[in-house]
């Protein structure tokens, strides 16, 4: 058994529908909790529409590679294509952290799955929804999520806006 924190985002097509579908599918994988949706500006060098983002916590009989495989399955089911790095997408699911049954964080420097996620600590679109879901959350190797949010530029945090259309 392991526990994983997943970051979900979509900015093409029916954004809310893609996130809703992925979250619904995660119920079969041991969905423990999910944040509400947040609208966020795109991240990275590619011009694109705004995202809807959420964080989900799952617990089940998968190891880190299994959670990554499940993330890719969810993306494929939503029609994700990988043409442009950091480009627009119908669904993006990132594995942020994985914790073993013993409570120890899984650490990996494998290029296919670096854990904890190497840029999660700088991304308000991951940290703000995660903090809203779990005020005591800790990003292994980086510290308390609340402290990480407080250390981000205020404009980055303010740009992550609760999306009231889906609760």
């Amino acid at each position: 058994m392991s526990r994983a924190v997943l970051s979900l985002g979509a900015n093409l097509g029916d954004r809310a529908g893609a996130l809703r579908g992925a979250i619904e599918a995660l119920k079969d994988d041991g969905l423990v909790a999910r944040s509400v949706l947040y609208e966020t500006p795109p991240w990275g060098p590619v011009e694109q529409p705004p995202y809807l983002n959420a964080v989900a916590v799952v617990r089940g009989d998968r190891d880190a590679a299994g959670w990554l495989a499940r993330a890719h399955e969810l993306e494929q089911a939503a029609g994700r294509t990988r043409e442009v790095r950091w480009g627009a997408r119908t669904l993006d699911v990132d594995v942020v952290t994985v914790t073993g049954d013993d409570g120890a964080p899984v650490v990996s420097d494998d290029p296919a799955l670096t854990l904890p996620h190497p840029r999660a600590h700088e991304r308000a679109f991951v940290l703000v929804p995660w903090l809203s879901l779990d005020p005591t959350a800790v990003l292994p190797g980086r510290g308390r999520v609340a402290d990480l949010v407080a250390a981000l530029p205020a404009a980055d945090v303010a740009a992550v806006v609760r999306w009231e259309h889906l609760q």
Side-chain angles (χ1 to χ4, degrees), residues 64-157:
W67 290 118
L68 179 63
R70 185 62 176 132
H72 289 165
E73 290 169 3
L74 294 169
E75 291 173 347
Q76 285 180 322
R80 163 94 188 256
T81 59
R82 296 179 183 269
E83 296 154 10
V84 177
R85 184 173 182 166
W86 294 313
R89 55 205 67 175
T90 55
L91 182 65
D92 182 45
V93 181
D94 287 336
V95 180
V96 180
T97 67
V98 176
T99 306
D101 225 13
D102 61 358
V106 175
V107 177
S108 170
D109 60 3
D110 183 330
L113 179 59
T114 304
L115 287 172
H117 190 288
R119 291 173 298 283
H121 68 284
E122 18 179 76
R123 294 181 171 173
F125 66 84
V126 173
L127 297 175
V128 171
W130 190 8
L131 180 61
S132 75
L133 184 60
D134 181 1
T136 66
V138 173
L139 180 60
R142 297 289 181 173
R144 293 174 3 124
V145 171
D147 295 336
L148 296 171
V149 169
L152 290 173
D156 289 3
V157 175

Side-chain angles (χ1 to χ4, degrees), residues 13-73:
D14 179 4
R15 302 175 305 165
L19 293 176
R20 190 180 306 117
I23 290 166
E24 185 66 28
L26 286 170
K27 288 180 179 177
D28 294 334
D29 296 295
L31 180 68
V32 173
R34 68 152 178 96
S35 71
V36 298
L37 300 183
Y38 289 83
E39 190 164 55
T40 65
W43 193 92
V46 178
E47 182 128 355
Q48 56 190 301
Y51 276 84
L52 285 183
N53 290 97
V55 166
V57 177
V58 289
R59 181 170 170 74
D61 290 327
R62 294 180 187 265
D63 60 8
W67 290 118
L68 179 63
R70 185 62 176 132
H72 289 165
E73 290 169 3

